[in-house]
Amino acid sequence: MDQMKWRTLPSRCSYLKLFQSLVLAGLFHFASGIITHVTKPVNDMMKLSCGYNISTDELIRVRIYWQKNNDMVLSVISGKEKSWPAYKNRTTVNIISNPFIMILGLRPSDEGLYSCVIQKPEKKGTYKLAHLTKVMLSVTADFHVPNITELGNPATNIKRIICSTSGGFPKPHLSWLEKGKELNAISTTVFQDLQTELYTISSELDFNVTNNHNFTCLVKYGNLTVSQIFNWQKSQPAPFPFNQSWLWILIPVGIFVIFVIAVFYWQLCNRPAARCRERRRNRESIEMKTSSFIV
């Protein structure tokens, strides 16, 4: 007779423990993949919490790391803190209960993906990942309202204007618009200050002065915009300039002309009467001569 082989079936408790382990592993993997997005202005502060409670007894044994992308920010090992040079003197840390760090004086270069990593010891001096939190930080700085000024006339009937603004982040894009259509700029310059890491942008535009215009200078940075409007009205023919000093000449001349005209009309009107009187005198003279001759 062949010898029968027996196999011990796993108990229900073993299946339950395996199921719980898979569920916990899945939840941990899902939680570690969640990224919280935070937007902060320049020179503000950011609190990066681990979201994990650590007892006082565990503080000596666990390892806590805060890092940005692949660069270290701050670590707590065996209860001792260490800050990396880029964050020295501008980070504070709290490791009691729910550990967190506070980054002060945020700079544009602080943008990136931050992680809080908590490791717990295993046997033989190894450590395993106990918790992971991720935060995506975006740093912004508002640009000033653009300023538009005239630069002169590079050619006949052509005027040049410039739109400029500064003090913003992230890198901006400037466009000129008229009636919803984008115009071609003469030149556009973008400059980033090495110390403040903030941007300055300017752009020049030429246009014909014989037409009316309504330009919009639009600056986009990230999801934000800032703009300025420039109106141009073509010039109208200038009226004849009137000099009041001419009044002192025109008034006497006008009076003299009026006087001459009045005299002329007076003489013109009185000339027939003078002729009638002259004829009457001539007639009377003839009659007197005739009567004296008869006598």
Side-chain angles (χ1 to χ4, degrees), residues 131-149:
H131 184 73
L132 176 63
T133 299
K134 296 180 180 180
V135 175
M136 176 62 74
L137 172 66
S138 298
V139 179
T140 63
D142 291 332
F143 280 91
H144 302 297
V145 175
N147 183 39
I148 301 178
T149 55

Side-chain angles (χ1 to χ4, degrees), residues 25-187:
L27 289 174
F28 177 77
H29 177 75
F30 177 75
S32 62
I34 296 177
I35 300 177
T36 303
H37 292 264
V38 176
T39 300
K40 293 286 186 179
V42 169
N43 296 323
D44 201 357
M45 60 181 67
M46 181 190 72
K47 179 181 179 181
L48 178 57
S49 176
C50 293
Y52 187 82
N53 291 325
I54 300 177
S55 64
T56 306
D57 296 335
E58 290 180 308
L59 287 177
I60 302 300
R61 300 192 303 271
V62 299
R63 292 179 175 179
I64 310 173
Y65 301 97
W66 284 273
Q67 60 187 35
K68 173 198 163 189
N69 300 328
N70 296 321
D71 299 325
M72 290 298 302
V73 177
L74 186 143
S75 66
V76 179
I77 300 176
S78 299
K80 295 182 179 180
E81 306 169 14
K82 180 182 178 182
S83 297
W84 265 250
Y87 297 89
K88 211 158 212 175
N89 300 325
R90 65 188 191 100
T91 54
T92 60
V93 61
N94 174 57
I95 57 176
I96 299 175
S97 185
N98 181 8
F100 68 85
I101 62 170
M102 192 80 73
I103 302 178
L104 310 175
L106 288 175
R107 308 166 183 169
S109 58
D110 289 332
E111 275 197 335
L113 180 62
Y114 288 81
S115 303
C116 171
V117 181
I118 298 179
Q119 296 177 337
K120 288 187 176 182
E122 285 187 322
K123 296 178 181 179
K124 299 179 181 179
T126 60
Y127 285 80
K128 68 176 180 179
L129 179 65
H131 184 73
L132 176 63
T133 299
K134 296 180 180 180
V135 175
M136 176 62 74
L137 172 66
S138 298
V139 179
T140 63
D142 291 332
F143 280 91
H144 302 297
V145 175
N147 183 39
I148 301 178
T149 55
E150 300 180 14
L151 293 181
N153 300 76
T156 304
N157 293 331
I158 300 297
K159 182 171 286 293
R160 180 168 297 176
I161 57 177
I162 183 172
C163 176
S164 60
T165 182
S166 61
F169 187 88
K171 188 176 181 179
H173 172 76
L174 189 151
S175 56
W176 291 95
L177 303 174
E178 185 176 28
K179 298 179 180 179
K181 295 183 179 180
E182 185 169 355
L183 307 175
N184 294 324
I186 300 301
S187 64

Side-chain angles (χ1 to χ4, degrees), residues 26 38 173 201 254 259-260 283:
V38 176
H173 172 76
I201 188 169
F259 175 77
V260 170
R283 190 181 300 114

Side-chain angles (χ1 to χ4, degrees), residues 221-237:
Y221 57 107
N223 297 324
L224 303 175
T225 61
V226 64
S227 62
Q228 182 63 277
I229 296 176
F230 179 84
N231 289 309
W232 175 263
Q233 298 292 326
K234 62 181 180 181
S235 59
Q236 301 295 333

